[in-house]
Amino acid sequence: MKENFLLYILCVITVIYVLNRIRIRLQLSKAKHPSLRGHSKWSRRITSKIPYFYYNEAHYFTCDGAPQNIGQQRKEALHNLATKLNNSCAKTIDYSHQLEKSISDIQFTSNYRIPFPFQKLLPKAFKLGSIVDETLGTKIKDLDGNWRFDLSGSYGVNVFGYDFYKDCMDKGFEQVKDLGPVLGAYHPIIAENVELIKSVSGLDEVSFHMSGTEAVMQAVRLARYHTKKTHLVRFCGAYHGWWDGVQPGVGNRRKVNDVYTLADLSDNALHILATRNDIACVLINPLQAFHPNSDSGSDSTLVASDRATNFDKANYTIWLKKIQEICNRRNIVLIFDEVFTGFRLGYRGAQGYFDVQADLVTYGKTLGGGLPVGALAGQAHLMKRFRKDAPADVSFARGTFNSHPYVMGAMNEFLNRIQTPEIQNIYQTIEDVWNKRVEKFNNKLLANNLPIKITNMHTILSVLYTKPSRYNWMLQFYLKAAGLELSWLGSGRMIMSFNFTEDEFEEVCNRFIEAALAMKNDGWWWQTHVTSEQLTNKKIKRQFLFDMFASMFPVLSQIVPAPIKSIALKPTSKTKSSEGSPHKTADIKPIKEQVDNTAEIKNTTIKKVS
């Protein structure tokens, strides 16, 4: 009897334990964003199974259900635009093509400028990146002598204009040139830099690193070291560098089991922070306020026209203050990743912009005055890398080029210049200036009846598309031809420097509208009706999935109707790939590399590459 009673008690305890574990797991699931971005492990599993397929010539120009005459118009327009770029940028294109054979970064960016089914037949002039040799003011020059307004912002480095940084680099060099590349020992200029960063960050100590990614790595390591807890929290869509410890999903093949990816602006996420005991730190990228729970806009993912931003400064400030309160109460280290936003959103970066004080703050990009750097500022007790009572228990971090004297010199020039009354006045007015500029920009787009809206967070702009289309990714190439330089991400993020004058911004608007009108006139934003219903983003995405599965299972196109009814998939013949495995292909001659074949568009087919 006694043994049965003990067994009963043990079963009850086991059931309660299991049910509690399930309850905790369900709470964590509720705190995640419902998209794949919010489920890192599943995103990695699913995206690894997506097959590569590409649209052949017949399907390339009409996959939105456009009739053949519109397809032919687009085809000729692509050829004409490629010819224009080839003629004006021949030396730059050729130089980039030669580098692509040896530089993997160029190979990557060349292949991820547009949605992958369109990559194979994209002209070489569009695929390759820019090779540039001079900057002046707000412009940048390629090898052919073409000057373009720079909307790339050098990925965030260029806050005050290239001339500003060139001068910082030159004068910084003059301050340290007698020392040369001495590593390990410090140039005395480092002392002033540390005091200035402490003043900006509101924190006690500073360490220097070689990149923003390294600074984030050190911040996370120190948070775990001092809290003796295992997990970090990041928010859906946020980027914190390429280290796999903060990039648990797509792009990282290592299984990461000590990261929670939670939904931004979610009460369920706050509940997780307030109740779990294994969270060492919360990592905040303040730029995420521009597009909560979404990745930064990239033209490589422009399958349809559902890109969105949702910047609400007041609401995001409240959200950050709630996180700060929980972190203070629960012994969780609050880390602000200001590698991008530091010194752009304000003199004190996002901390000042949102009025929130973090425990650790990472910097990079512009802090080096034009040279590469990462920096970490933090509370004194969190920055210690050893324990006096346990001398072998250390948190090690080092880097050969940390505190390089030339970087310290340029940094010193930068930190002193941004304290001048001129720069401080810019900080006070810059947000209002750019909000008004973007408002005028949108009024011009409306006046020209273009399916585009510009949104902004401070001086960071994004292009939203207001009508369903499968070809929005073409805009980046029209913009380039019109004299506007974008990063390889395309129209999703345009980073403007503070030194754009009103006249220069007006010129950018005019060139942008000129490019968009040319694209519209070339038929890329042609709108059709599908079974008496307007083309929608949902139909476009369903068609993309249909095309993907049809490439895997060709019989599907014969038994299941296509979401966009005017697209007809005909049977394809089996051939052998170069590896000997069968794949589906079509008996249609592809577009030549420079799109000089303008033959009549034929029936739709899709090619799958094994």
Side-chain angles (χ1 to χ4, degrees):
M1 185 70 177
K2 184 177 181 181
E3 291 178 354
N4 290 338
F5 179 76
L6 291 175
L7 181 62
Y8 174 76
I9 294 296
L10 181 61
C11 289
V12 170
I13 292 174
T14 301
V15 169
I16 292 173
Y17 174 79
V18 171
L19 290 176
N20 187 56
R21 296 298 299 173
I22 292 173
R23 178 186 65 83
I24 292 172
R25 187 64 186 84
L26 289 175
Q27 287 178 340
L28 183 60
S29 295
K30 286 175 63 179
K32 295 182 178 182
H33 194 262
S35 68
L36 273 182
R37 290 184 298 272
H39 295 77
S40 301
K41 292 180 181 178
W42 277 108
S43 68
R44 188 171 61 243
R45 292 169 187 151
I46 292 174
T47 54
S48 67
K49 303 300 182 183
I50 293 176
Y52 173 69
F53 69 93
Y54 68 93
Y55 297 133
N56 76 344
E57 183 177 344
H59 198 51
Y60 198 92
F61 301 101
T62 57
C63 63
D64 59 350
Q68 290 192 2
N69 66 307
I70 295 296
Q72 184 67 28
Q73 181 184 358
R74 290 169 172 173
K75 182 178 181 179
E76 293 173 357
L78 189 70
H79 166 67
N80 292 337
L81 189 59
T83 300
K84 180 178 180 180
L85 287 173
N86 278 324
N87 291 339
S88 62
C89 310
K91 185 184 297 185
T92 304
I93 292 171
D94 182 65
Y95 201 97
S96 183
H97 179 68
Q98 296 302 316
L99 284 180
E100 186 181 26
K101 300 173 183 177
S102 304
I103 300 180
S104 60
D105 286 353
I106 298 179
Q107 296 166 22
F108 182 85
T109 57
S110 292
N111 279 280
Y112 285 88
R113 291 180 178 274
I114 65 173
F116 72 84
F118 297 96
Q119 292 169 1
K120 187 174 180 63
L121 301 184
L122 194 71
K124 184 175 72 175
F126 297 159
K127 288 183 181 181
L128 302 178
S130 295
I131 307 295
V132 293
D133 61 6
E134 188 178 352
T135 59
L136 182 64
T138 57
K139 292 184 177 182
I140 193 164
K141 181 172 72 69
D142 66 17
L143 301 187
D144 296 272
N146 299 303
W147 286 94
R148 298 186 182 91
F149 284 105
D150 179 46
L151 310 187
S152 75
S154 284
Y155 300 103
V157 170
N158 185 16
V159 175
F160 296 103
Y162 289 118
D163 295 341
F164 174 97
Y165 294 95
K166 286 189 283 188
D167 204 40
C168 284
M169 293 164 71
D170 289 343
K171 288 187 168 57
F173 172 78
E174 289 297 323
Q175 293 193 67
V176 300
K177 66 180 181 180
D178 292 338
L179 183 61
V182 171
L183 304 176
Y186 295 127
H187 188 285
I189 202 171
I190 194 173
E192 186 178 10
N193 290 350
V194 167
E195 291 305 314
L196 290 171
I197 293 173
K198 285 166 58 178
S199 174
V200 168
S201 66
L203 294 165
D204 306 320
E205 294 185 14
V206 179
S207 65
F208 293 104
H209 305 274
M210 290 180 284
S211 68
T213 291
E214 279 197 6
V216 169
M217 292 168 69
Q218 173 66 347
V220 172
R221 174 172 286 191
L222 286 171
R224 286 179 170 142
Y225 178 68
H226 289 289
T227 63
K228 299 182 180 180
K229 293 188 281 188
T230 55
H231 282 63
L232 73 85
V233 165
R234 63 186 287 273
F235 290 100
C236 180
Y239 179 72
H240 297 284
W242 55 265
W243 171 44
D244 54 13
V246 291
Q247 190 188 34
V250 178
N252 169 29
R253 294 302 302 168
R254 186 177 75 87
K255 294 181 180 179
V256 178
N257 296 312
D258 54 8
V259 176
Y260 296 133
T261 298
L262 305 183
D264 233 336
L265 300 172
S266 165
D267 288 338
N268 291 324
L270 294 177
H271 179 74
I272 293 297
L273 294 177
T275 56
R276 293 195 70 99
N277 296 317
D278 58 351
I279 298 173
C281 57
V282 177
L283 198 52
I284 300 287
N285 182 342
L287 184 59
Q288 208 59 30
F290 192 23
H291 39 76
N293 294 305
S294 296
D295 299 328
S296 61
S298 170
D299 287 356
S300 67
T301 59
L302 264 180
V303 174
S305 298
D306 51 356
R307 176 191 286 163
T309 59
N310 186 26
F311 178 51
D312 185 334
K313 183 179 179 180
N315 192 35
Y316 210 79
T317 299
I318 293 171
W319 162 251
L320 292 177
K321 287 183 179 294
K322 288 179 179 178
I323 293 175
Q324 181 186 36
E325 187 276 327
I326 294 173
C327 287
N328 290 339
R329 177 161 45 91
R330 297 282 297 169
N331 187 32
I332 299 171
V333 179
L334 178 60
I335 305 172
F336 263 33
D337 178 355
E338 295 241 39
V339 171
F340 191 96
T341 54
F343 306 101
R344 178 175 290 274
L345 296 184
Y347 176 68
R348 295 196 64 239
Q351 287 194 110
Y353 189 71
F354 292 110
D355 189 28
V356 176
Q357 178 64 56
D359 302 315
L360 296 173
V361 181
T362 62
Y363 298 102
K365 305 292 186 189
T366 197
L367 173 63
L371 294 177
V373 72
L376 172 64
Q379 296 178 10
H381 72 282
L382 292 174
M383 295 292 284
K384 292 291 182 288
R385 302 181 186 182
F386 61 92
R387 305 184 199 281
K388 290 185 178 180
D389 58 346
D393 183 6
V394 300
S395 178
F396 188 79
R398 197 64 195 135
T400 305
F401 288 98
N402 293 356
S403 308
H404 190 290
Y406 291 168
V407 175
M408 290 297 106
M411 182 188 298
N412 186 258
E413 284 292 321
F414 173 83
L415 287 169
N416 278 294
R417 288 189 189 200
I418 63 173
Q419 295 182 80
T420 63
E422 178 186 4
I423 298 295
Q424 290 297 315
N425 182 62
I426 290 175
Y427 274 134
Q428 295 301 315
T429 59
I430 193 70
E431 184 177 21
D432 184 57
V433 166
W434 281 84
N435 287 342
K436 289 178 179 178
R437 285 178 175 180
V438 169
E439 182 180 5
K440 291 179 181 178
F441 196 168
N442 280 317
N443 288 337
K444 289 188 174 186
L445 292 168
L446 282 172
N448 284 276
N449 195 28
L450 289 165
I452 292 173
K453 179 182 179 181
I454 306 297
T455 59
N456 73 300
M457 176 182 175
H458 212 267
T459 56
I460 306 158
L461 282 61
S462 186
V463 178
L464 306 187
Y465 299 92
T466 59
K467 290 185 178 180
S469 172
R470 294 201 70 176
Y471 297 98
N472 294 319
W473 46 267
M474 275 297 301
L475 180 61
Q476 61 182 299
F477 307 119
Y478 281 88
L479 292 176
K480 183 172 184 177
L484 302 179
E485 184 78 9
L486 298 146
S487 74
W488 71 275
L489 293 173
S491 62
R493 182 176 290 177
M494 300 186 298
I495 307 167
M496 308 284 276
S497 53
F498 289 6
N499 63 322
F500 271 89
T501 66
E502 290 295 334
D503 288 343
E504 287 173 327
F505 187 79
E506 182 83 7
E507 180 64 20
V508 168
C509 293
N510 292 339
R511 294 190 185 199
F512 190 104
I513 289 169
E514 173 192 340
L517 286 172
M519 180 169 167
K520 180 180 179 182
N521 293 335
D522 284 340
W524 298 104
W525 284 318
W526 173 86
Q527 297 296 303
T528 186
H529 286 70
V530 182
T531 61
S532 301
E533 295 180 9
Q534 191 173 15
L535 190 68
T536 64
N537 289 323
K538 182 179 288 188
K539 277 191 172 68
I540 290 173
K541 289 188 287 186
R542 285 178 177 174
Q543 182 65 46
F544 179 88
L545 291 174
F546 178 88
D547 293 343
M548 181 178 69
F549 284 111
S551 73
M552 300 169 64
F553 310 105
V555 69
L556 184 68
S557 62
Q558 305 303 311
I559 60 176
V560 178
I564 299 179
K565 299 298 190 299
S566 59
I567 296 178
L569 299 175
K570 74 174 186 177
T572 55
S573 59
K574 285 189 177 182
T575 64
K576 295 286 184 178
S577 71
S578 60
E579 297 178 353
S581 59
H583 70 284
K584 301 293 184 180
T585 186
D587 187 22
I588 296 180
K589 184 179 180 181
I591 304 173
K592 291 182 180 178
E593 191 173 41
Q594 298 303 328
V595 198
D596 58 1
N597 177 9
T598 56
E600 181 180 358
I601 295 176
K602 303 177 183 178
N603 293 330
T604 296
T605 54
I606 299 175
K607 290 186 177 181
K608 176 194 172 186
V609 176
S610 298

